[in-house]
Amino acid sequence: MRPYLHLFLCFLLFLFLKLPAHAQSSSIRGYVRAADSGEPLIGATVSVPALGKGTVTDVNGYYMLPLPAGEHTLQASYIGYTPITRRAHTPADGKNKNIVFLLEPANNELKEVEIASNSLRQRLNDTRMSMEVLTTREAKLLPALFGEVDLVKAMQLKPGIQASSEGSTGMYVRGGGADQNLMQLDGTTIYNASHLFGFFSVFNPESVKSVELYKGGFPAQFGGRLSSVVDVTLNEGNNERVGTAGSLGLISSKLTIDGPIKKDKANFIVSGRRTYVDVFTRQINRLSEDNEDYSPIPDYYFYDLSGKLNYQLDDENKLTLSAYYGRDFFSFSEDGFNFGFDWGNRMANLRWEHKFSDQLFASASVNATKYNYNLKNAIDAYSLKLTSDIEDYTFKTDFDWFLEGGHSLKFGSSVTRHYFGIGHLNVNSDDDRLNYTAGNNYHASEFGVYASDDYQINALFSLNYGLRLSAFNSGGRTYTGLEPRISAKYNLDENTAIKGSYASMMQYVHLVSNSGATLPTDVWYPSTKNVEPQRSQQIALGFTKLFARGRFLLTNEAYYKWMHNQLDFRDGANLFLNNNLEAEFLFGKGNSYGNELYLEKVKGKTTGWLGYTLSWTFRQFDEINGGRPFPTRYDRRHDVSLVLMHKLNKRLSVTASFVYGSGTAYSLPVARFAFQDMEGKGASMVPIYEERNGFRLPPTHRLDLGAVLKLKSRHGEADLTFGVYNVYNRRNPYFVYIDHVKDEESSQITGFQAKQVSLFPVVPSITYNFKF
């Protein structure tokens, strides 16, 4: 580890030596807050349009914008709020000007699509690339399955982000697997971010302020995954008055309450959500108890709770406590057979923020997170219980140092203690004659230290460069990794910019799964003496063009990703109740490359975007496919998404989304070998496979429509949201299985046929939303 440490210290020395010792340029700095609640607006834009310069606020709503001396016109904007324009004078003596922007909510909700959280011009000038930002306000305008707004599914409508299957929240980002996405809620890792077996995410839109997703050019503060970072920020709550918001839908209801505890000192927000399909299925089962031919409907529901408490100790210190708890329950009982299955996440994060000066901020946090599942099965006198879990305890520090001369430093460190409980099995009988246990426990420690500089060299050229040093210790083996990150932007003119980035990533924990989606029974496994960490390197090049008087933004990015120590499983691997999982692992390499085209319009009555992705994704293992490269299940040549939102009048808006994706790569047997047992009493059929993922399922495509009708309300806001999922009833493939073909007369098997299973036909929905 010493050579890596020396390199890291040399990088820090270089970074600080490059900083100006006595810069005399001036800057405008301050905060952007909501006028009605006092809540800091994260990611709000503060810019000087005449100079083509701008910046975005941090998690505290703080901004700093270096400017030459003179008179300037500043603009602050945030989605759903009316922009503010202010005149300000920056002196020539190097002194700084402090301005606080208080933004008023837009007059009507439909204006939310007209004001981007990062204005198009700011996105043009932003050094960061391969990044998507989405707010709950935007997501609520999009059609949703069963009317259940889902931020992760809304993100899947962006280029380079593919759904693992129709209707699911599993994501494949630029050729990476579902386990290669880092999901964070207020800075805390969430290991299984899905409800309802993957069809909804755990992020309640009523409690979430915004989602940032990085597909490449990863900031140095993030580590531990190869493909993407999904950074979810919870709402802060109202500082001025108590408010209530919620919705009533077909399958679930939500309720959020927020308000001040002590005005200008402390406030809170609490959100809850629960499905109630089980209420109806239980009643149906009860009414059908006397029907001998009736098969009971399984019982299923989920709920989640999230909350945030903020306490402003003084002008320099603030405490924040965030928490989440969510659980899914599935059960079935009939004729002495009782099956129960529950799974879920819990997390808590205590964060202290300190302001040393107008230029230096620090935060320290301690958090805990846990994911586990419990499977219980009872048949007469015998019972089985299977559990697995992963539990983390993390301490981390982050510093933000805004310096003159165009430098914004960020540096910090983190320490995580992991606990893995894998395949804990207990089988026993009522008479205690049978008592069998199995399972493994592992623990590991993960470390990270990073530093980065966002350097505005001049009005045309900016650079963000950083370095992350990571380490992981488990089972007597220590792995280390040096992860450089760099991204750059150069303005060809006031409306055109070219960008490039490079990022190296390490992943020390792995998901043991034989499915393309993240299922409740998937198991997280640490790097050990025999399981090396996964590594990736990614380069991206692109350009951004603003045209039609700032109404349209066009971006095009090409990327290439190398992946090493990729994990797969032997053909016929036993991943269930296996105390030696490592014996089933295979390690190889992979690559992914493609091009993402994106056109967005955010002004006018009609807004929306068009995204197109052309991509290739391959893996190569010595023991699979004869050592030849093969496409992964998430290798999709073409992926198209079109989203349109149109404001008909002050009360009514309509939305539409269309998606198209090339067929998923799939493995199917090309023949079957029949053999008979030695006694001649029976025959068995063994499938024969040739190429791994050598077949393609039919392409998927779907049209969804929606409408939002604002209702008149004396005491707040209310609306009805209508939606139709899969308007033209396209039967998209969910999976394919092989079935027998039998002769009608003799009932003998004459062949085999592949059959497709589809999940969702046309699904209408209606949701009532309110806010008081």
Side-chain angles (χ1 to χ4, degrees):
M1 178 157 175
R2 288 183 178 178
Y4 284 153
L5 184 59
H6 291 161
L7 284 172
F8 188 79
L9 293 176
C10 288
F11 170 78
L12 289 178
L13 181 62
F14 166 78
L15 189 150
F16 280 94
L17 288 177
K18 292 291 288 183
L19 300 177
H22 301 284
Q24 291 299 316
S25 61
S26 301
S27 64
I28 302 292
R29 61 188 62 189
Y31 294 88
V32 181
R33 297 191 175 101
D36 60 338
S37 66
E39 184 178 1
L41 299 179
I42 304 169
T45 300
V46 179
S47 62
V48 179
L51 298 179
K53 297 190 67 174
T55 187
V56 294
T57 57
D58 64 10
V59 294
N60 301 303
Y62 181 81
Y63 72 92
M64 189 192 79
L65 183 59
L67 293 172
E71 291 288 334
H72 303 288
T73 300
L74 287 82
Q75 184 181 74
S77 63
Y78 187 75
I79 186 168
Y81 290 81
T82 302
I84 290 181
T85 299
R86 295 273 297 272
R87 293 284 295 175
H89 175 78
T90 52
D93 57 4
K95 293 183 179 179
N96 303 307
K97 187 84 171 180
N98 291 287
I99 296 180
V100 175
F101 290 97
L102 298 177
L103 302 187
E104 296 285 349
N107 291 333
N108 63 74
E109 193 170 344
L110 298 177
K111 286 188 178 180
E112 293 163 4
V113 297
E114 298 180 7
I115 308 167
S117 57
N118 294 327
S119 69
L120 294 186
R121 183 161 297 279
Q122 173 56 26
R123 288 164 61 184
L124 171 76
N125 293 317
D126 200 333
T127 309
R128 298 173 296 180
M129 64 181 303
S130 307
M131 178 185 174
E132 303 290 349
V133 179
L134 187 75
T135 69
T136 301
R137 295 175 183 268
E138 292 172 300
K140 284 183 176 180
L141 292 174
L142 302 176
L145 178 62
F146 298 114
E148 188 72 14
V149 175
D150 197 288
L151 296 167
V152 174
K153 288 182 184 178
M155 274 292 183
Q156 294 170 357
L157 295 172
K158 302 288 186 175
I161 307 168
Q162 301 174 353
S164 59
S165 59
E166 186 187 13
S168 75
T169 57
M171 292 195 310
Y172 300 138
V173 179
R174 288 187 172 177
D179 64 317
Q180 295 177 353
N181 305 311
L182 176 62
M183 299 282 187
Q184 288 199 332
L185 182 63
D186 264 11
T188 305
T189 300
I190 299 295
Y191 278 99
N192 190 313
S194 64
H195 284 305
L196 191 60
F197 299 97
F199 290 112
F200 299 111
S201 75
V202 299
F203 306 120
N204 181 351
E206 299 294 341
S207 64
V208 171
K209 173 180 287 187
S210 65
V211 181
E212 293 184 347
L213 187 146
Y214 297 89
K215 301 178 289 186
F218 305 99
Q221 67 264 32
F222 296 114
R225 299 294 187 275
L226 300 189
S227 292
S228 78
V229 176
V230 180
D231 191 20
V232 181
T233 302
L234 289 173
N235 276 318
E236 293 281 327
N238 198 310
N239 270 322
E240 301 297 325
R241 60 183 182 275
V242 175
T244 302
S247 65
L248 300 172
L250 291 179
I251 66 169
S252 73
S253 290
K254 314 176 192 69
L255 182 65
T256 299
I257 302 174
D258 65 345
I261 299 174
K262 185 177 182 181
K263 194 169 184 179
D264 298 327
K265 273 287 186 181
N267 69 319
F268 75 96
I269 181 170
V270 178
S271 294
R273 172 174 59 165
R274 192 194 191 279
T275 57
Y276 34 70
V277 176
D278 59 303
V279 176
F280 301 105
T281 57
R282 289 174 186 175
Q283 184 64 23
I284 294 173
N285 288 340
R286 191 176 298 112
L287 294 174
S288 304
E289 286 178 344
D290 297 333
N291 187 348
E292 296 181 359
D293 298 327
Y294 178 74
S295 180
I297 303 173
D299 196 45
Y300 174 81
Y301 66 95
F302 72 76
Y303 67 83
D304 50 41
L305 296 168
S306 61
K308 198 168 187 176
L309 177 66
N310 303 284
Y311 189 81
Q312 192 75 41
L313 300 173
D314 52 43
D315 291 341
E316 286 77 36
N317 295 280
K318 179 183 178 181
L319 285 176
T320 301
L321 176 63
S322 304
Y324 171 87
Y325 184 85
R327 205 82 191 158
D328 287 60
F329 297 87
F330 179 90
S331 62
F332 181 77
S333 179
E334 184 180 20
D335 298 333
F337 175 81
N338 295 286
F339 177 81
F341 187 23
D342 65 275
W343 66 95
N345 300 271
R346 67 185 72 170
M347 81 85 177
N349 182 18
L350 179 63
R351 177 186 173 96
W352 168 59
E353 299 170 5
H354 178 70
K355 176 184 175 182
F356 290 99
S357 68
D358 286 341
Q359 293 178 281
L360 181 60
F361 296 83
S363 68
S365 64
V366 57
N367 66 63
T369 184
K370 182 177 182 178
Y371 169 73
N372 75 311
Y373 72 79
N374 302 295
L375 189 155
K376 301 176 183 178
N377 191 5
I379 305 177
D380 296 329
Y382 299 92
S383 63
L384 174 149
K385 182 177 180 180
L386 176 66
T387 64
S388 282
D389 62 81
I390 179 171
E391 189 170 1
D392 290 355
Y393 296 91
T394 300
F395 175 77
K396 62 181 178 180
T397 58
D398 296 283
F399 293 85
D400 290 279
W401 194 6
F402 299 93
L403 296 173
E404 312 299 344
H407 291 275
S408 297
L409 280 181
K410 192 173 184 68
F411 53 95
S413 62
S414 63
V415 179
T416 299
R417 185 65 171 171
H418 299 281
Y419 295 91
F420 303 83
I422 299 174
H424 286 185
L425 173 68
N426 179 261
V427 182
N428 57 57
S429 60
D430 290 347
D431 58 9
D432 293 328
R433 292 185 179 182
L434 175 63
N435 194 343
Y436 172 78
T437 60
N440 290 318
N441 291 317
Y442 298 91
H443 56 83
S445 298
E446 186 171 356
F447 310 90
V449 58
Y450 74 91
S452 65
D453 180 20
D454 195 357
Y455 182 24
Q456 182 79 35
I457 299 173
N458 53 45
L460 299 178
F461 186 44
S462 60
L463 188 68
N464 186 298
Y465 57 104
L467 191 63
R468 182 179 182 86
L469 175 63
S470 60
F472 190 87
N473 177 270
S474 177
R477 177 73 183 270
T478 298
Y479 295 98
T480 57
L482 199 62
E483 307 172 41
R485 322 278 174 82
I486 185 170
S487 58
K489 180 271 303 179
Y490 183 79
N491 285 74
L492 298 176
D493 56 47
E494 65 175 1
N495 292 318
T496 309
I498 56 174
K499 301 182 181 183
S501 69
Y502 168 82
S504 175
M505 303 288 281
M506 301 281 290
Q507 180 165 335
Y508 297 103
V509 295
H510 319 275
L511 192 66
V512 179
S513 171
N514 58 3
S515 169
T518 304
L519 296 179
T521 52
D522 294 343
V523 173
W524 288 93
Y525 200 88
S527 293
T528 63
K529 183 178 181 180
N530 300 316
V531 181
E532 295 187 0
Q534 301 177 62
R535 295 181 289 115
S536 75
Q537 295 172 294
Q538 182 182 163
I539 58 172
L541 296 171
F543 78 90
T544 305
K545 177 72 174 178
L546 192 63
F547 60 96
R549 298 181 181 179
R551 290 179 176 268
F552 290 89
L553 182 74
L554 176 67
T555 64
N556 189 81
E557 288 188 16
Y559 67 90
Y560 196 102
K561 183 192 293 185
W562 299 265
M563 290 167 279
H564 311 278
N565 296 330
Q566 296 299 282
L567 188 148
D568 209 320
F569 310 104
R570 302 182 186 278
D571 291 332
N574 176 24
L575 304 181
F576 200 65
L577 304 181
N578 187 343
N579 280 344
N580 188 22
L581 277 174
E582 293 182 11
E584 309 290 350
F585 295 168
L586 299 175
F587 301 94
K589 59 184 179 180
N591 64 328
S592 177
Y593 52 93
N595 189 85
E596 298 168 3
L597 185 67
Y598 184 68
L599 176 66
E600 183 174 10
K601 181 177 184 288
V602 297
K603 294 183 179 180
K605 289 189 175 182
T606 302
T607 60
W609 66 81
L610 172 65
Y612 169 65
T613 304
L614 174 68
S615 63
W616 290 261
T617 302
F618 297 96
R619 295 290 188 272
Q620 187 173 9
F621 297 83
D622 292 339
E623 300 87 346
I624 299 177
N625 211 47
R628 300 182 301 276
F630 59 90
T632 65
R633 288 197 60 186
Y634 30 95
D635 173 65
R636 300 180 193 170
R637 200 66 64 241
H638 306 283
D639 196 88
V640 180
S641 59
L642 174 63
V643 175
L644 294 174
M645 294 169 278
H646 182 70
K647 173 185 172 183
L648 292 173
N649 53 50
K650 291 183 178 180
R651 294 183 57 196
L652 181 63
S653 66
V654 293
T655 60
S657 65
F658 175 79
V659 294
Y660 172 89
S662 297
T664 302
Y666 215 81
S667 294
L668 290 173
V670 296
R672 289 180 180 263
F673 175 74
F675 68 93
Q676 197 164 6
D677 61 22
M678 296 182 63
E679 299 179 357
K681 295 182 178 180
S684 299
M685 307 292 291
V686 178
I688 299 174
Y689 293 85
E690 288 186 349
E691 295 286 329
R692 171 71 74 96
N693 294 336
F695 292 87
R696 292 276 177 176
L697 296 181
T700 62
H701 51 86
R702 189 187 73 248
L703 173 67
D704 303 330
L705 297 177
V708 179
L709 175 64
K710 293 197 65 173
L711 303 176
K712 294 181 179 180
S713 177
R714 295 181 179 179
H715 306 290
E717 302 174 7
D719 67 65
L720 285 175
T721 301
F722 304 91
V724 182
Y725 182 91
N726 196 7
V727 172
Y728 53 84
N729 200 29
R730 164 71 177 179
R731 306 307 298 228
N732 287 309
Y734 186 66
F735 67 86
V736 170
Y737 69 98
I738 303 298
D739 195 14
H740 302 103
V741 177
K742 294 183 178 181
D743 182 79
E744 294 183 359
E745 296 182 359
S746 63
S747 297
Q748 292 187 355
I749 297 175
T750 59
F752 300 91
Q753 182 180 12
K755 292 188 176 181
Q756 172 183 303
V757 174
S758 301
L759 285 186
F760 300 110
V762 56
V763 181
S765 64
I766 181 171
T767 304
Y768 171 68
N769 304 290
F770 59 89
K771 184 177 181 180
F772 304 113

